[in-house]
């Protein structure tokens, strides 16, 4: 079975049923099938063979609902791009992936246009949106030239389905390769746990270049449901949709839930009769926020833990777990839950020896939903997957009931508003500032985003710079969400005997008095 087989089945069984809605545009299942076949044929017509990569750069849009289905039909591999990245970051990913074709929404074409001379792998340029653009083929015309006769190809479920990029500790993003089998395994794991249903109408507000949002959408289609796509997160629009658009389920991060509760004046006055479940992730939820959310929305809550390398989820804190937490076990809200079906979680020491319950070590995982590896990075793949277990880089423990608790990170990654930020990337950008002699970047607590990026700076002798100057210096060099939100100045960074910066020492004052060293 391949991803698009479910679409073909439901387009036969319920051709007029709603597939996806975005703004004033709607696709039925029959329409989505036809659109995905034209899309697939256009990829073939543009010279893409099974295994060839193509880049897709857009905010959430209706086309995002069919891009993975179209690619599945012909074995082409989409590389969804984070539209918040700076131009040099986009260029690196497009070239590293060897993308032969770029599809970009009109607002982002200028950024790509400035890179064209450096993108040797790209052979075709497709502009998504209204209005012509010089030297780019219009997406609508590109599709219209194709018919709805599907290509007859023999494709394997072990073939690559998509490639998403995640930042690495070396400062360069790594392409995470996810196969058909991994995605289909993850979707099967969701059916008994998240209780995905054909009657679902799911609100998608998280960016679809992100693993969690993409898998939410694909899981909905796999069961015959539909999605309502919002281009961006807007608290008032989310609350309006949850109350008046027959939404049964959505996936948010705790900061989004909090924004809906705090920033929408009539949130508690509305009714949410169809809403049965809110899934959240990226960070735990405060018990006060959860109590308020349950009171207002009147639905069940679940928390998922995972990463791009695991398709999406490894563990789930279920609705019953949340009920138990509110009934007198609030510490359970700090847990990431227990493993999904077919998933194994271990805690190991530095020698990969399993540790007993309630002992902190690195979290490693095994399951059918794991990546096949990092694109063109054999050594990094071998290191991450040593012994057949994915080494997450997160530190935690498992209690006697099998619940996983995340305590810290074995790597230095910062999670800010559900986006991963690796300090090395930020440090590399800051080292170009003429006044900076040394710098270390850490994550510090932030009430809104969980963590925010802080730069600890040592100035060169005789040089001066303000915090505002240093924060502004990163503009255009790295994505906005990676830029420091605060700067502290010190005389010397603490280092160990080998010269490694002691970031744990730098973080300690900001996390003092907290039970966890992540947010």
């Amino acid at each position: 079975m391949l991803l698009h087989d479910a679409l073909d089945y439901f387009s036969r069984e319920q051709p007029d049923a709603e597939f996806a809605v975005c703004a004033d545009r709607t696709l039925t299942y029959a329409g989505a099938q036809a659109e995905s076949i034209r899309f697939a044929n256009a990829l073939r017509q543009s010279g893409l063979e099974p295994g060839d990569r193509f880049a897709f750069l857009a905010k959430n849009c209706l086309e995002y609902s069919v891009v993975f289905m179209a690619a599945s039909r012909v074995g082409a591999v989409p590389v969804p791009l984070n539209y918040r990245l700076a131009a040099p970051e986009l260029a690196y990913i497009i070239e590293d992936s060897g993308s032969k074709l770029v599809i970009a929404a009109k607002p982002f074409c200028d950024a790509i246009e400035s890179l064209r001379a450096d993108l040797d792998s790209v052979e075709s340029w497709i502009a998504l949106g209204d209005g012509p653009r010089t030297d780019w083929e219009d997406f609508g015309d590109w599709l219209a030239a194709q018919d709805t006769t599907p290509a007859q190809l023999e494709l394997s479920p072990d073939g690559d389905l998509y490639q998403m990029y995640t930042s690495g500790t070396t400062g360069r993003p790594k392409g995470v390769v996810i196969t058909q089998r991994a995605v289909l395994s993850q979707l099967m794991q969701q059916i008994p746990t998240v209780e995905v249903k054909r009657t679902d109408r799911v609100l998608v507000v998280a960016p679809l270049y992100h693993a969690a949002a993409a898998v939410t959408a694909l899981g909905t289609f796999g069961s015959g449901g539909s999605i309502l796509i919002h281009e961006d997160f807007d608290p008032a629009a989310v609350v309006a949709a949850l109350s008046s658009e027959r939404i049964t389920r959505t996936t948010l991060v705790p900061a989004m839930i909090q924004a809906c509760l705090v920033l929408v004046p009539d949130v508690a006055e509305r009714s949410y009769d169809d809403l049965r479940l809110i899934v959240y992730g990226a960070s735990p939820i405060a018990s006060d926020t959860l109590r308020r959310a349950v009171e207002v929305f009147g639905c069940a809550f679940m928390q998922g833990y995972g990463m791009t390398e695991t398709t999406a989820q490894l563990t789930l804190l279920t609705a019953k777990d949340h009920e138990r937490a509110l009934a007198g076990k609030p510490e359970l809200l700090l847990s990431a839950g227990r493993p999904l079906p077919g998933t194994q979680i271990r805690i190991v020491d530095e020698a990969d020896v399993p540790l007993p319950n309630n002992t902190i070590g690195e979290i490693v995982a095994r399951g059918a939903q794991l990546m096949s590896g990092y694109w063109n990075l054999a050594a990094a793949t071998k290191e991450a997957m040593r012994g057949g277990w994915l080494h997450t880089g997160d530190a935690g423990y498992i209690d006697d009931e099998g619940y996983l608790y995340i305590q810290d990170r074995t790597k230095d990654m910062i999670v800010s508003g559900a986006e991963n930020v690796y300090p090395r990337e930020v440090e590399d950008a800051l080292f170009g500032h003429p006044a900076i002699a040394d710098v270390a970047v850490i994550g510090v607590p932030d009430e809104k985003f969980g963590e925010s990026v802080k730069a600890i700076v040592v100035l060169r002798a005789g040089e001066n710079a303000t915090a505002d100057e240093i924060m502004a210096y990163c503009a255009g060099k790295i994505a906005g969400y990676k830029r420091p939100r605060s700067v502290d100045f010190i005389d010397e960074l603490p280092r160990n005997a080998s010269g490694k910066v002691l970031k744990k020492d730098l973080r300690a004052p900001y996390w003092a008095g907290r039970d966890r060293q992540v947010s």
Side-chain angles (χ1 to χ4, degrees), residues 189 305 310 313-315 337-348 354 362-370 387-392 398 402 404:
Q189 290 167 329
Y305 163 69
T310 66
Q313 292 182 347
L314 287 170
T315 66
R338 293 186 280 198
L340 296 180
T343 303
Q344 295 175 274
I345 301 290
R346 280 183 182 174
I347 307 297
V348 299
E362 183 172 9
I363 302 165
V364 299
R366 188 162 64 181
Q369 73 270 45
L370 299 189
W389 293 78
L390 174 71
H391 289 64
T392 67
I398 296 173
L404 174 67

Side-chain angles (χ1 to χ4, degrees), residues 468-485:
D468 287 341
E469 287 175 49
I470 289 171
M471 288 186 284
Y473 177 77
C474 291
K477 297 179 177 61
I478 51 176
Y481 66 86
K482 298 178 183 178
R483 291 159 57 185
R485 292 293 180 266

Side-chain angles (χ1 to χ4, degrees), residues 44 48-54 71 74-79 97-100 153 155 159-161 163 177 375:
R44 292 278 290 171
L48 273 72
E49 299 291 336
D52 286 342
R53 269 62 178 163
F54 68 97
V74 293
V77 182
V79 180
S97 65
S99 290
K100 289 188 173 182
L153 297 173
L155 300 172
D160 301 342
L161 179 60
Q163 184 167 313
V177 180
W375 177 248

Side-chain angles (χ1 to χ4, degrees), residues 16-294:
D16 298 325
E18 181 183 276
F19 177 82
V21 177
C22 186
D24 59 351
R25 301 169 62 204
T26 300
L27 271 178
T28 63
Y29 266 84
Q33 182 193 42
E35 186 87 348
S36 70
I37 293 172
R38 289 192 186 95
F39 198 149
N41 289 342
L43 291 170
R44 292 278 290 171
Q45 186 68 35
S46 296
L48 273 72
E49 299 291 336
D52 286 342
R53 269 62 178 163
F54 68 97
F56 191 86
L57 176 62
K59 287 190 173 184
N60 284 358
C61 57
L62 196 64
E63 288 75 14
Y64 243 127
S65 68
V66 296
V67 64
F68 298 104
M69 298 292 182
S72 172
R73 294 185 181 280
V74 293
V77 182
V79 180
L81 298 175
N82 181 345
Y83 57 82
R84 300 171 69 187
L85 295 178
E89 295 170 309
L90 292 171
Y92 175 79
I93 292 173
I94 294 170
E95 272 295 284
D96 181 73
S97 65
S99 290
K100 289 188 173 182
L101 177 145
V102 170
I103 302 171
K106 288 290 173 61
F108 308 109
C109 285
D110 286 342
I112 297 295
E113 186 69 26
S114 68
L115 307 171
R116 282 185 67 158
D118 300 320
L119 299 178
D120 296 332
S121 66
V122 181
E123 299 170 359
S124 303
W125 309 83
I126 311 297
L128 176 63
D130 296 330
R133 183 181 178 90
T134 305
D135 298 330
W136 290 64
E137 186 172 359
D138 179 76
F139 182 82
D141 295 341
W142 186 61
L143 288 194
Q146 307 300 321
D147 62 24
T148 55
T149 303
Q152 300 299 313
L153 297 173
E154 293 293 329
L155 300 172
S156 168
D158 291 314
D160 301 342
L161 179 60
Y162 61 76
Q163 184 167 313
M164 290 184 178
Y165 275 75
T166 182
S167 296
T169 54
T170 62
R172 288 293 194 180
K174 292 182 287 190
V176 177
V177 180
I178 300 294
T179 65
Q180 290 265 4
R181 191 181 302 279
V183 171
L184 293 175
S185 297
Q186 179 86 118
L187 302 191
M188 289 296 294
Q189 290 167 329
Q190 288 185 346
I191 292 172
T193 53
V194 182
E195 298 180 2
V196 180
K197 300 178 180 180
R198 187 186 292 205
T199 54
D200 275 339
R201 193 170 197 246
V202 178
L203 177 63
V204 175
V205 297
L208 283 159
Y209 64 72
H210 204 285
V215 171
T216 295
L218 297 180
T220 303
F221 300 146
S223 294
S226 67
I227 64 171
L228 174 63
I229 303 170
H230 282 192
E231 182 180 82
D232 289 300
F233 171 69
D234 175 83
V238 167
V239 169
L242 295 179
S243 63
S244 63
E245 293 284 355
R246 297 179 290 107
I247 300 301
T248 60
R249 179 166 54 89
T250 191
T251 298
L252 305 170
V253 300
M256 291 177 175
I257 298 171
Q258 178 73 358
C260 290
L261 295 174
V262 172
L263 301 178
V264 183
D266 64 343
V267 63
E269 299 166 16
R270 294 173 175 262
S271 59
Y272 307 90
D273 297 334
D274 296 298
L275 185 63
R276 79 168 198 276
L277 177 64
I278 293 176
V279 180
Y280 66 93
S283 66
I285 193 168
S287 58
D288 289 347
T289 300
L290 177 63
R291 289 181 187 279
R292 175 65 173 156
V294 170

Side-chain angles (χ1 to χ4, degrees), residues 407-424:
Q407 294 297 295
D408 206 336
R409 296 190 180 95
T410 59
K411 303 172 185 176
D412 293 327
M413 185 178 72
I414 301 163
V415 179
S416 182
E419 293 284 1
N420 293 348
V421 180
Y422 280 87
R424 177 66 180 272

Side-chain angles (χ1 to χ4, degrees), residues 457-475:
V457 170
V458 178
L459 293 175
R460 295 181 184 275
E463 295 285 349
N464 292 296
T466 66
D468 287 341
E469 287 175 49
I470 289 171
M471 288 186 284
Y473 177 77
C474 291

